Amino acid sequence: MSRKQITLGIPKGSLQQSTLGIFERVGLQFTGGSRTLWLSSNDPEIVPVLLKPQEIPIYVKSGRLDAGLSGRDWIVEQDVLQDIAVKAELPFSRQTSRPIRWVLAVPAASPIKTVEDLRAECDRRRLAGDPFVISTELTRISRMWLARQGVDAHVEFSWGATEAKAEYFADAIIEGVETGNSLRANHLREVAEVFSSTNQFFVSRRIYRDDEWKRSKLDALSHLIRGALRANDVVELRVVAEKPLPLETILGPDARVVSASEAVAGQGFTATVTLPRGSVPYALPAVIAAGATDAWVSPMSIYYSHEADATSKAAAEARNASASLPLAPLAPTGMA
């Protein structure tokens, strides 16, 4: 592999199309067949590789990948936080824009309704020589969460179809959910949330530190990803009026006046404003009522803001600093 190339892990499976869609929005097209590992790229400096999300953190840690995208759950589960740096959060999951919630669930008929009930049942079963079994793919995180709760249970790795194993193969499960429909379909009931996870774009700390060319390329890729995601929530408002309008006062602190100008001889006023998409129903009528003669709203495909990026960078640095705290990442997290 050439030194002037970035190897990039793309999560295979349910997150694949959403992830490829983000890159397509910023002009990067990664294509390949359903059985292809190495994808083609319209940027010869990026080599995308289609892998299971569980594998990607391991390969980024080892340096076999320069960067990758995977869930915070698998980053923590594979114990790689010391070796990677998170550069962007991608707040979408398999079906929704909400984080994945890993929850402990029991059969609907189980008397266990709280963590205290679980602790008591596990103690009773241990004394009887009949360990309480929990099935999950997320064994490391689950064991650490159970230890924090003072719960003495036996955790077994599940190779899939975890919901179907409750009651016969296991007494409870810890599984990732979005809507809760799968739990209900398998007659399971949530007892407690164990971990909350969003998807992350992350890089090898060693490669990012030691290779100047790759650091620059990875920073550029980070800007593109964050810009595409930020554009989901921001629109551009253009305003034309016969006289200057106090847009900061009219639109409030969430709006940002990017430019404002008066025409020759003070006749006419134009301005460009960025504002949250959700404020459009209030913002557009407000500028019209204030005297706008023309106003229109445009969606964005990519939006870079130095101010917003500075906030994101501070959040990322705080997040990366948590790598030195072995238990801190196990708290439910929603990361900027």
Side-chain angles (χ1 to χ4, degrees), residues 220-263:
L221 199 53
S222 300
H223 286 310
L224 290 172
I225 292 172
R226 288 199 298 267
L229 294 168
R230 191 175 294 124
N232 289 335
D233 302 319
V234 180
V235 295
E236 178 185 78
L237 171 65
R238 297 294 299 274
V239 179
V240 179
E242 294 180 353
K243 61 182 180 179
L245 301 179
L247 293 175
E248 292 89 347
T249 303
I250 296 168
L251 298 175
D254 290 335
R256 180 168 178 258
V257 179
V258 179
S259 65
S261 62
E262 297 182 45

Side-chain angles (χ1 to χ4, degrees), residues 256-321:
R256 180 168 178 258
V257 179
V258 179
S259 65
S261 62
E262 297 182 45
V264 177
Q267 298 299 310
F269 170 78
T270 62
T272 302
V273 183
T274 59
L275 68 162
R277 185 182 297 272
S279 67
V280 170
Y282 312 99
L284 190 61
V287 295
I288 294 171
T293 58
D294 298 87
W296 61 94
V297 175
S298 303
M300 300 184 188
S301 58
I302 308 175
Y303 173 49
Y304 170 78
S305 166
H306 176 74
E307 181 179 340
D309 250 34
T311 301
S312 297
K313 182 178 179 181
E317 288 173 350
R319 184 166 59 242
N320 293 330

Side-chain angles (χ1 to χ4, degrees), residues 138-210:
L138 214 65
T139 56
R140 176 177 180 263
I141 290 175
S142 296
R143 289 188 177 108
M144 295 181 74
W145 181 83
L146 290 166
R148 287 182 178 181
Q149 306 302 322
V151 174
D152 186 5
H154 176 68
V155 176
E156 289 184 345
F157 179 77
S158 172
W159 295 93
T162 306
E163 294 97 333
K165 295 175 181 176
E167 199 164 25
Y168 187 83
F169 292 105
D171 299 295
I173 66 167
I174 292 177
E175 179 65 348
V177 301
E178 289 182 71
T179 64
N181 291 337
S182 183
L183 293 184
R184 290 187 287 272
N186 286 276
H187 309 291
L188 298 173
R189 173 168 43 79
E190 179 181 336
V191 173
E193 180 175 319
V194 174
F195 193 79
S196 179
S197 174
T198 55
N199 293 294
Q200 314 288 315
F201 170 63
F202 54 98
V203 303
S204 162
R205 282 180 181 269
R206 177 179 56 80
I207 290 171
Y208 188 80
R209 181 189 65 231
D210 296 341

Side-chain angles (χ1 to χ4, degrees), residues 126-141:
R126 176 174 51 81
L127 291 173
D130 179 24
F132 189 94
V133 176
I134 298 175
S135 183
T136 184
E137 290 183 81
L138 214 65
T139 56
R140 176 177 180 263
I141 290 175

Side-chain angles (χ1 to χ4, degrees), residues 113-134:
K113 292 182 171 55
T114 65
V115 173
E116 289 72 21
D117 294 340
L118 175 67
R119 187 184 304 115
E121 177 63 12
C122 288
D123 289 345
R124 185 189 69 78
R125 293 276 294 271
R126 176 174 51 81
L127 291 173
D130 179 24
F132 189 94
V133 176
I134 298 175

Side-chain angles (χ1 to χ4, degrees), residues 20-30 41-43 224 302:
L20 293 177
I22 290 292
F23 287 106
E24 188 169 349
R25 282 181 57 181
V26 302
L28 293 170
Q29 296 180 351
F30 305 151
S41 170
N42 64 337
D43 182 344
L224 290 172
I302 308 175

Side-chain angles (χ1 to χ4, degrees), residues 4 11 100:
K4 297 296 185 182
I100 288 283

Side-chain angles (χ1 to χ4, degrees), residues 9 19 173 325:
T19 303
I173 66 167
L325 306 173

